[in-house]
Amino acid sequence: MNNSVPVSDFTVECLKLGKTYPPDITALQNVSLTAAPGEILFVTGVSGAGKSTLLKLICRRESPSGGMVMLFGQNLARIGSAEMQLIRRRIGVAYQDFRLLPDLSVMHNVAMAMEVDYRPRRLIRQRVGRLLEQLGLTDKERRPVSDLSLGEQQRVAVARAAANQPALLLADEPTGNLDEKSGALVMALFRELAAAGTTVIAATHDEKLHRDSGHQVLRLERGCLVEDTRHEKAY
Amino acid sequence: MNNSVPVSDFTVECLKLGKTYPPDITALQNVSLTAAPGEILFVTGVSGAGKSTLLKLICRRESPSGGMVMLFGQNLARIGSAEMQLIRRRIGVAYQDFRLLPDLSVMHNVAMAMEVDYRPRRLIRQRVGRLLEQLGLTDKERRPVSDLSLGEQQRVAVARAAANQPALLLADEPTGNLDEKSGALVMALFRELAAAGTTVIAATHDEKLHRDSGHQVLRLERGCLVEDTRHEKAY
Amino acid sequence: MKKRTNPIPQILRQTGSNLAKTWPTQIMGLFTVMLAVLIFSFFLLVHLNMLATGARLGEELRLTVYLEREIEPPLMARLEQQIRQFGDIAEVRYTSRQEAFARFADQLGEERDILDNLGPEFLPPSIEVTPKPSLRSPDDLERLAAHLLTLPDTTRVQYGREWLRRFSAFNRVLQAVVLISGVLLILNMIFTISHSTRLAMAARREEIEILRLLGASRSYISIPFVAEGLLQGGLGSGLGMAALWLFYQRIGNPVNDPGLLGLFTPSFLPLPVTAGIIVGGTLLCVVSSLLVVNKALRI
Amino acid sequence: MKKRTNPIPQILRQTGSNLAKTWPTQIMGLFTVMLAVLIFSFFLLVHLNMLATGARLGEELRLTVYLEREIEPPLMARLEQQIRQFGDIAEVRYTSRQEAFARFADQLGEERDILDNLGPEFLPPSIEVTPKPSLRSPDDLERLAAHLLTLPDTTRVQYGREWLRRFSAFNRVLQAVVLISGVLLILNMIFTISHSTRLAMAARREEIEILRLLGASRSYISIPFVAEGLLQGGLGSGLGMAALWLFYQRIGNPVNDPGLLGLFTPSFLPLPVTAGIIVGGTLLCVVSSLLVVNKALRI
Ligand SMILES: Nc1ncnc2c1ncn2[C@@H]1O[C@H](COP(=O)(O)OP(=O)(O)OP(=O)(O)O)[C@@H](O)[C@H]1O
Ligand SMILES: Nc1ncnc2c1ncn2[C@@H]1O[C@H](COP(=O)(O)OP(=O)(O)OP(=O)(O)O)[C@@H](O)[C@H]1O
Ligand SMILES: [Mg+2]
Ligand SMILES: [Mg+2]
């Protein structure tokens, strides 16, 4: 963003997005949404509704079969692979299956996101230490990830996604393995990031997380958007 | 059990069970519990409380640092490796991280548990088909597991654990990635198995799952049993 | 009591489905085994033939005892007995002046016309003594020569001292080369096959662990892998030997050319060696599979 | 504007930590590369020396033109000119009766005493013609012999037809063996190194994929692997050649034994070949690493 002219007020804009997996599994249909800087957006829906697919399309882990995604005002499909690398460093993703390196320490796993962005080592140490503290993982920081309980691993995944203070944070089911208290730590982190301008999009089936939170909620059903708390009238 | 004299009315008995991971991480301390055939038992506690550790000790994926586990009336520590193989086929475990083979089809993954027990193929087909139907996965049965959403994978893991109509079913966070509706399918399956005599022990942080269910609940806190709904007075 | 079937068909099915699923890796593995066996047996073939040539050269080794005068058969029989007393003598042969002349003329070949004005008398009669292979070291021959000198009527004992030194130096080099290359090629075969097995296994460690968690018996898990090793090893070794045979046909022909005059008559690996290599290659694959699967089972 | 540092130290650190984490695999890989290079260069060494021996045997090839009578130097100069007209002649040398007799006596060695009652007159004078290596096929020599027969005073042209056929058959076998073994050993090296690289990589595919998801640049991901290939290839090839040198010292000595009389004077691989093998081995490792990492990056 530093060297491109912003053409949009939104971090993410999806236009009539659709995804059909071969041979004919329609996971997403005609989904449009926008997310502005500082906004927290929840994507809900039953298992298999298409939540993960939507997030994968936004970070280009899958390519859409229809429609388009605008990221930081650029058409995602048109971004070259070198520039995409830079953009990936500005997007933090907490995957539903974590995708951590089990043999590396917790610290190292989180630091990786900053190392690939060539951040100074002192800054990395500070930031990683602070994040692990916020998520209640300080006493695990030197342990290999494989020694952690799954709920702990989930928080490491969230910490890594937040490490670069990304412009966009995608979190897929970030509290699936977490109890209410740990879940609250994660939500607090999201709010802090959002306050600093990060757009947070979280997919979740956990009603506690978004109910009465005042944040926007999109509900998917069999790949279709059936509820959008901001445009109630549209449905 | 068919060829050993039952010496206990309980499927599982844990006596002052403790587990310390090297170097000095105490995950479980002095935990005693019993579970009878047909009983459903919930183990709850915050992330890192020791729920998974308890289940791992019961199915001998880890060995205890103190205390002992009696399984089907036998001291687990004294069972030889050949007999342990037979016992494993009578225990179904739904792992928190699923442990499915991503390249194999859903059907094949579930069938595996019955194939290693040399069940007739017709029986396998019937049973697998029925389980997948019960868990809402019939239309996915021929897909490789890697194509499934995580919630779907979680249900496959539960199906595999239930395949052999085991005497003991251990389920670690079986609804972590599931919405309320899919979670209810899983619970219904557990109840059906319990009605046929299976002992079900499920670790979960999901209050919805056990609150007001009438089933027994154990609560762990930093590795210690702090609540046991059957022996309220003990604490 | 729950219904259970005979385990054998189930294990066979498991083996078959494993093979079907992983055939690209299998083909690569097959090719690797084949190459390793081919390289090993190719050099074994070359070296065995070189050793055979060395041995054939050694057979040309004999000592000549020059005599003062022609000897009658009865005396010759006595002499022969005396010579054989030394032990390890393969052959003793008397050559009269006449025969010596004829042979010399033969040796001169195209240059024989230089003998035209000479009679057979100018070459002395001799006894040729051929030692057994066990008696071919320079020292032994020195002792044999000394023994022969004590015979009556002997004027001189002659044997190709130069030639012998050449031959034994050549043999020493050959043996060193054969030894080193044998060790290197066996190491190569072991490395190649174990690499290929580990590579095939890397993809399936997860599968093994899950099967164990489900309570599969050791044989249920191992048999498919061992069967695979057996198939791959047997087929790979067999194909390797077949390829060697084809090569042999191509090289064997120019060599069988009468040009080499019997000095170098090539022969393929003897049947027991061929069988040994195939069995050895197969065994190596099976053992390697077993080791890897056992390592995976221990985890 | 966020703070960023120079990428180079970060990438180097990454390389170092990779090496530190995976050293057991690295050592195995190193050993594998070393073995592959050693085997290849060992047989190259043996074969080059065999080829050199073949060539040295070829140098002994010459044609002898027997003359009716001794020739004076001026006539000889004319004859030599006529002979060289044929082209590809290395040397032309006149041998008088006297010299021929002396040499024949030499050749007979210990049997020379059979010449005692003969004078030098019984051997004719001759001219020896040594062809260049380019002129060594049986056909060419046939034509050269025909040309030499047209010279004045020639009675006969003689050359070792038998010997030549032996030699060229031997050379053909040798060349076939060298060719086949070269191909086999290069294949072996490629297979071994690529197996070892893929084995090392299998454990790290996950890491590569995660680095990509985090937006690491291609060079950030590739450089550690390529550096590893460079290190492993360079060190492995170097160690392989060092091991070969040690072997050579052990075999070279018995061969340098004067026993072989200069027929077989062993020499180590020439420096450019040594360097070539090391560079080739290193390159093979680097290319193999690059291929594997690129394949992993494409996924
Ligand atoms: N292999 C191990 N080595 C070291 N420590 C471990 C190991 N496994 C678990 N632990 C630690 O033991 C504690 C209990 O872990 P456990 O997995 O039992 O928690 P849990 O109750 O299942 O948590 P969650 O709800 O997050 O899955 C945690 O603090 C964890 O870090
Ligand atoms: N790679 C794939 N190939 C084929 N089908 C797929 C693939 N990935 C997902 N699907 C299917 O697309 C549908 C939506 O999947 P998705 O992962 O988006 O669901 P989800 O909303 O994230 O569910 P969950 O809450 O269980 O994670 C599912 O039915 C799933 O089986
Ligand atoms: Mg999902
Ligand atoms: Mg757990």
Side-chain angles (χ1 to χ4, degrees):
Chain A
M1 282 294 275
N2 295 319
N3 42 17
S4 71
V5 185
V7 297
S8 162
D9 289 339
F10 296 113
T11 315
V12 183
E13 283 172 277
C14 297
L15 281 173
K16 305 195 167 197
L17 214 49
K19 174 71 186 176
T20 303
Y21 290 108
D24 57 351
I25 296 159
T26 303
L28 217 58
Q29 248 174 25
N30 204 26
V31 171
S32 301
L33 66 86
T34 55
E39 194 172 356
I40 297 183
L41 199 71
F42 287 102
V43 180
T44 65
V46 300
S47 174
K51 306 180 291 294
S52 300
T53 301
L54 178 59
L55 296 193
K56 281 177 192 163
L57 292 179
I58 294 176
C59 67
R60 208 166 89 171
R61 260 189 86 191
E62 295 279 357
S63 47
S65 336
M68 85 175 178
V69 179
M70 304 283 290
L71 213 58
F72 309 123
Q74 288 174 276
N75 184 340
L76 194 60
R78 297 257 177 80
I79 296 175
S81 82
E83 200 183 346
M84 194 62 207
Q85 284 161 8
L86 297 176
I87 288 187
R88 279 196 199 288
R89 301 183 204 163
R90 310 191 52 224
I91 307 179
V93 186
Y95 296 97
Q96 195 171 4
D97 51 358
F98 315 157
R99 314 231 70 192
L100 300 169
L101 283 171
D103 296 335
L104 298 188
S105 71
V106 170
M107 251 166 77
H108 198 141
N109 263 283
V110 179
M112 244 167 107
M114 301 182 75
E115 282 170 358
V116 304
D117 201 22
Y118 308 117
R119 299 301 181 87
R121 300 181 80 186
R122 262 191 53 217
L123 183 71
I124 296 182
R125 257 198 305 276
Q126 274 176 16
R127 174 89 184 138
V128 172
R130 175 136 192 279
L131 275 170
L132 293 181
E133 201 188 313
Q134 277 182 288
L135 294 171
L137 290 169
T138 304
D139 55 331
K140 301 282 175 196
E141 67 182 12
R142 291 184 187 284
R143 309 241 95 216
V145 162
S146 57
D147 278 5
L148 265 50
S149 84
L150 250 74
E152 289 161 350
Q153 291 185 23
Q154 185 148 47
R155 282 172 280 160
V156 176
V158 170
R160 187 181 65 186
N164 274 328
Q165 289 184 292
L168 171 63
L169 191 150
L170 303 174
D172 198 349
E173 211 78 80
T175 59
N177 289 282
L178 296 181
D179 57 290
E180 221 160 319
K181 239 173 62 188
S182 320
L185 295 177
V186 170
M187 269 313 296
L189 177 63
F190 287 174
R191 277 196 213 97
E192 181 192 311
L193 287 169
T198 298
T199 303
V200 178
I201 304 184
T204 184
H205 65 270
D206 190 352
E207 300 247 328
K208 288 192 303 288
L209 211 61
H210 56 80
R211 199 191 290 142
D212 316 318
S213 68
H215 298 300
Q216 306 304 324
V217 177
L218 301 175
R219 198 151 65 78
L220 292 174
E221 214 163 81
R222 293 164 184 270
C224 300
L225 207 55
V226 293
E227 188 186 331
D228 184 336
T229 51
R230 289 170 301 182
H231 315 282
E232 214 61 71
K233 52 217 167 289
Y235 303 91
Chain B
M1 281 294 277
N2 296 319
N3 41 17
S4 70
V5 184
V7 297
S8 162
D9 289 339
F10 296 113
T11 315
V12 182
E13 283 172 279
C14 296
L15 281 173
K16 304 196 171 200
L17 214 50
K19 175 70 187 176
T20 303
Y21 291 107
D24 59 352
I25 296 161
T26 303
L28 217 57
Q29 248 174 24
N30 205 26
V31 171
S32 300
L33 67 84
T34 55
E39 195 174 356
I40 297 183
L41 198 71
F42 287 102
V43 180
T44 65
V46 301
S47 172
K51 306 180 291 294
S52 299
T53 301
L54 178 60
L55 297 193
K56 281 178 194 162
L57 292 178
I58 294 176
C59 66
R60 207 165 90 170
R61 260 189 85 189
E62 296 279 355
S63 47
S65 338
M68 82 174 180
V69 179
M70 303 284 288
L71 213 58
F72 309 122
Q74 287 174 277
N75 184 340
L76 195 61
R78 298 254 176 81
I79 295 175
S81 82
E83 199 182 349
M84 193 61 208
Q85 283 163 9
L86 296 177
I87 290 191
R88 279 195 200 288
R89 302 184 203 161
R90 310 190 53 223
I91 308 178
V93 186
Y95 297 97
Q96 196 170 4
D97 51 357
F98 314 157
R99 316 230 68 195
L100 301 169
L101 283 170
D103 297 336
L104 298 188
S105 71
V106 169
M107 251 167 78
H108 199 143
N109 264 283
V110 178
M112 245 167 106
M114 302 182 74
E115 282 170 358
V116 304
D117 200 22
Y118 308 117
R119 299 304 181 87
R121 301 181 78 187
R122 262 192 52 217
L123 183 72
I124 296 182
R125 257 199 304 275
Q126 273 175 17
R127 173 88 183 138
V128 173
R130 172 130 196 283
L131 276 170
L132 293 181
E133 199 189 314
Q134 277 183 287
L135 294 171
L137 290 170
T138 303
D139 54 332
K140 301 282 174 196
E141 64 181 14
R142 291 182 186 284
R143 308 243 96 215
V145 162
S146 57
D147 278 6
L148 264 51
S149 84
L150 250 75
E152 288 160 350
Q153 292 185 22
Q154 187 146 46
R155 283 173 279 160
V156 176
V158 170
R160 187 180 64 186
N164 273 329
Q165 290 184 290
L168 172 62
L169 191 151
L170 303 174
D172 199 349
E173 211 77 84
T175 59
N177 290 281
L178 295 182
D179 57 289
E180 222 160 317
K181 238 174 60 190
S182 322
L185 296 177
V186 170
M187 270 312 297
L189 177 62
F190 287 173
R191 277 197 213 95
E192 181 190 312
L193 287 169
T198 299
T199 303
V200 178
I201 304 185
T204 184
H205 67 269
D206 190 349
E207 302 247 329
K208 284 194 303 291
L209 211 59
H210 57 80
R211 198 190 292 144
D212 316 320
S213 68
H215 298 300
Q216 306 304 325
V217 177
L218 301 175
R219 197 151 65 79
L220 292 173
E221 214 164 82
R222 293 164 182 272
C224 301
L225 207 55
V226 294
E227 189 186 329
D228 184 336
T229 50
R230 287 170 302 182
H231 314 283
E232 213 61 75
K233 51 217 168 287
Y235 303 91
Chain C
M1 193 67 203
K2 287 168 179 173
K3 256 197 273 181
R4 276 184 190 80
T5 53
N6 181 352
I8 310 295
Q10 173 57 37
I11 292 181
L12 288 181
R13 247 193 324 270
Q14 175 78 0
T15 308
S17 99
N18 268 357
L19 285 176
K21 268 184 314 200
T22 58
W23 65 266
T25 325
Q26 303 283 344
I27 299 263
M28 272 298 285
L30 195 70
F31 195 73
T32 310
V33 173
M34 180 185 136
L35 188 67
V37 168
L38 175 58
I39 288 181
F40 178 76
S41 55
F42 176 75
F43 285 105
L44 189 65
L45 177 66
V46 169
H47 286 158
L48 283 186
N49 274 299
M50 274 160 67
L51 287 177
T53 305
R56 227 167 279 127
L57 283 172
E59 277 160 24
E60 289 183 4
L61 178 73
R62 51 180 98 75
L63 293 84
T64 310
V65 184
Y66 288 102
L67 302 169
E68 232 160 286
R69 52 192 174 84
E70 303 266 356
I71 294 178
E72 298 305 304
L75 179 57
M76 184 54 214
R78 273 229 327 272
L79 275 180
E80 172 158 359
Q81 210 183 1
Q82 255 179 296
I83 294 172
R84 287 196 184 273
Q85 265 174 9
F86 187 82
D88 284 342
I89 302 297
E91 203 190 342
V92 176
R93 219 172 72 86
Y94 176 67
T95 308
S96 66
R97 275 186 217 280
Q98 194 69 44
E99 286 163 351
F101 185 78
R103 197 194 304 165
F104 187 52
D106 252 17
Q107 277 172 9
L108 286 177
E110 299 178 28
E111 290 177 58
R112 68 176 356 151
D113 35 356
I114 60 171
L115 296 178
D116 283 354
N117 18 6
L118 297 169
E121 305 76 33
F122 91 106
L123 288 175
S126 58
I127 300 176
E128 277 178 2
V129 179
T130 310
K132 287 194 180 156
S134 50
L135 197 81
R136 268 183 204 156
S137 79
D139 284 358
D140 286 341
L141 291 177
E142 203 78 57
R143 285 191 304 109
L144 176 56
H147 172 73
L148 294 176
L149 262 179
T150 66
L151 299 180
D153 292 324
T154 302
T155 57
R156 203 158 51 82
V157 174
Q158 189 235 315
Y159 63 100
R161 238 195 222 92
E162 283 306 336
W163 187 90
L164 180 68
R165 276 168 57 192
R166 250 190 206 215
F167 172 68
S168 75
F170 170 75
N171 254 5
R172 252 177 297 150
V173 179
L174 193 61
Q175 272 157 15
V177 168
V178 169
L179 191 78
I180 296 182
S181 59
V183 170
L184 288 181
L185 290 169
I186 287 179
L187 271 181
N188 181 59
M189 193 141 107
I190 293 177
F191 257 72
T192 308
I193 288 181
S194 85
H195 266 162
S196 143
T197 316
R198 283 167 59 205
L199 209 53
M201 187 66 81
R204 273 143 75 182
R205 172 148 289 160
E206 182 79 2
E207 183 177 339
I208 291 180
E209 207 183 325
I210 289 175
L211 282 171
R212 288 202 67 209
L213 292 176
L214 294 176
S217 66
R218 286 181 85 88
S219 55
Y220 185 94
I221 298 175
S222 316
I223 288 174
F225 285 99
V226 173
E228 220 178 278
L230 201 75
L231 211 77
Q232 209 170 69
L235 254 171
S237 307
L239 285 175
M241 290 308 288
L244 183 67
W245 174 255
L246 288 181
F247 280 147
Y248 174 74
Q249 297 295 67
R250 295 223 52 158
I251 317 183
N253 286 342
V255 180
N256 255 329
D257 196 315
L260 287 174
L261 293 175
L263 176 68
F264 186 64
T265 45
S267 60
F268 195 64
L269 298 175
L271 202 63
V273 175
T274 306
I277 292 179
I278 293 183
V279 170
T282 310
L283 226 63
L284 207 59
C285 284
V286 171
V287 168
S288 169
S289 297
L290 262 178
L291 285 180
V292 177
V293 85
N294 268 349
K295 202 176 146 207
L297 278 174
R298 229 178 302 126
I299 291 170
Chain D
M1 191 65 201
K2 288 168 180 177
K3 255 197 274 179
R4 275 183 190 81
T5 53
N6 181 351
I8 310 297
Q10 173 56 38
I11 292 180
L12 288 181
R13 250 196 319 274
Q14 174 78 0
T15 308
S17 97
N18 267 358
L19 285 177
K21 267 183 315 200
T22 58
W23 65 264
T25 325
Q26 303 283 342
I27 299 263
M28 272 298 286
L30 196 69
F31 194 72
T32 311
V33 173
M34 182 185 136
L35 187 68
V37 167
L38 175 58
I39 289 181
F40 178 76
S41 56
F42 176 75
F43 285 103
L44 190 65
L45 178 65
V46 169
H47 286 157
L48 283 185
N49 274 297
M50 275 161 66
L51 286 177
T53 305
R56 226 168 279 125
L57 283 173
E59 276 160 23
E60 290 182 5
L61 178 73
R62 47 180 102 74
L63 293 84
T64 310
V65 183
Y66 290 100
L67 302 169
E68 231 159 288
R69 52 191 174 86
E70 303 265 358
I71 293 179
E72 300 303 303
L75 179 57
M76 182 57 213
R78 270 228 331 269
L79 274 179
E80 172 158 0
Q81 211 184 2
Q82 255 179 298
I83 293 171
R84 285 194 185 275
Q85 265 174 10
F86 188 82
D88 284 340
I89 301 299
E91 205 192 339
V92 175
R93 221 173 70 87
Y94 177 65
T95 308
S96 66
R97 277 185 215 279
Q98 194 70 43
E99 287 162 350
F101 186 77
R103 199 196 302 165
F104 187 50
D106 252 18
Q107 279 172 9
L108 286 177
E110 298 176 29
E111 291 178 58
R112 67 172 0 146
D113 33 357
I114 60 168
L115 295 178
D116 283 354
N117 18 6
L118 297 170
E121 305 76 34
F122 92 105
L123 289 175
S126 59
I127 301 175
E128 276 178 1
V129 179
T130 310
K132 287 191 179 160
S134 50
L135 198 79
R136 268 185 203 155
S137 79
D139 283 359
D140 286 341
L141 291 176
E142 202 78 58
R143 285 193 302 110
L144 176 56
H147 173 72
L148 294 175
L149 263 178
T150 64
L151 298 179
D153 291 323
T154 304
T155 56
R156 204 157 51 81
V157 175
Q158 188 235 315
Y159 62 100
R161 239 195 221 92
E162 282 307 334
W163 187 91
L164 180 68
R165 275 167 58 191
R166 253 192 202 214
F167 172 70
S168 75
F170 171 75
N171 254 6
R172 250 175 299 149
V173 180
L174 193 62
Q175 272 157 15
V177 168
V178 169
L179 191 79
I180 295 183
S181 59
V183 170
L184 287 181
L185 291 168
I186 287 180
L187 272 181
N188 181 57
M189 191 142 111
I190 293 177
F191 256 70
T192 309
I193 289 181
S194 85
H195 266 163
S196 143
T197 315
R198 281 168 58 204
L199 209 52
M201 187 67 79
R204 272 143 77 184
R205 173 149 290 162
E206 181 79 2
E207 183 177 339
I208 292 180
E209 205 182 327
I210 289 175
L211 282 171
R212 287 199 68 207
L213 292 177
L214 295 176
S217 66
R218 286 181 85 87
S219 54
Y220 185 94
I221 298 174
S222 316
I223 287 175
F225 285 99
V226 173
E228 224 177 275
L230 201 74
L231 212 76
Q232 210 170 70
L235 255 170
S237 306
L239 286 174
M241 289 310 287
L244 182 67
W245 174 254
L246 289 180
F247 280 147
Y248 175 73
Q249 299 294 69
R250 295 223 54 159
I251 318 185
N253 287 341
V255 180
N256 253 329
D257 197 317
L260 287 174
L261 294 174
L263 175 68
F264 187 63
T265 45
S267 60
F268 195 64
L269 298 175
L271 202 64
V273 175
T274 307
I277 291 178
I278 294 183
V279 170
T282 311
L283 226 63
L284 207 56
C285 285
V286 170
V287 168
S288 169
S289 298
L290 262 178
L291 285 180
V292 177
V293 85
N294 269 349
K295 201 176 147 207
L297 278 174
R298 227 178 304 125
I299 292 168

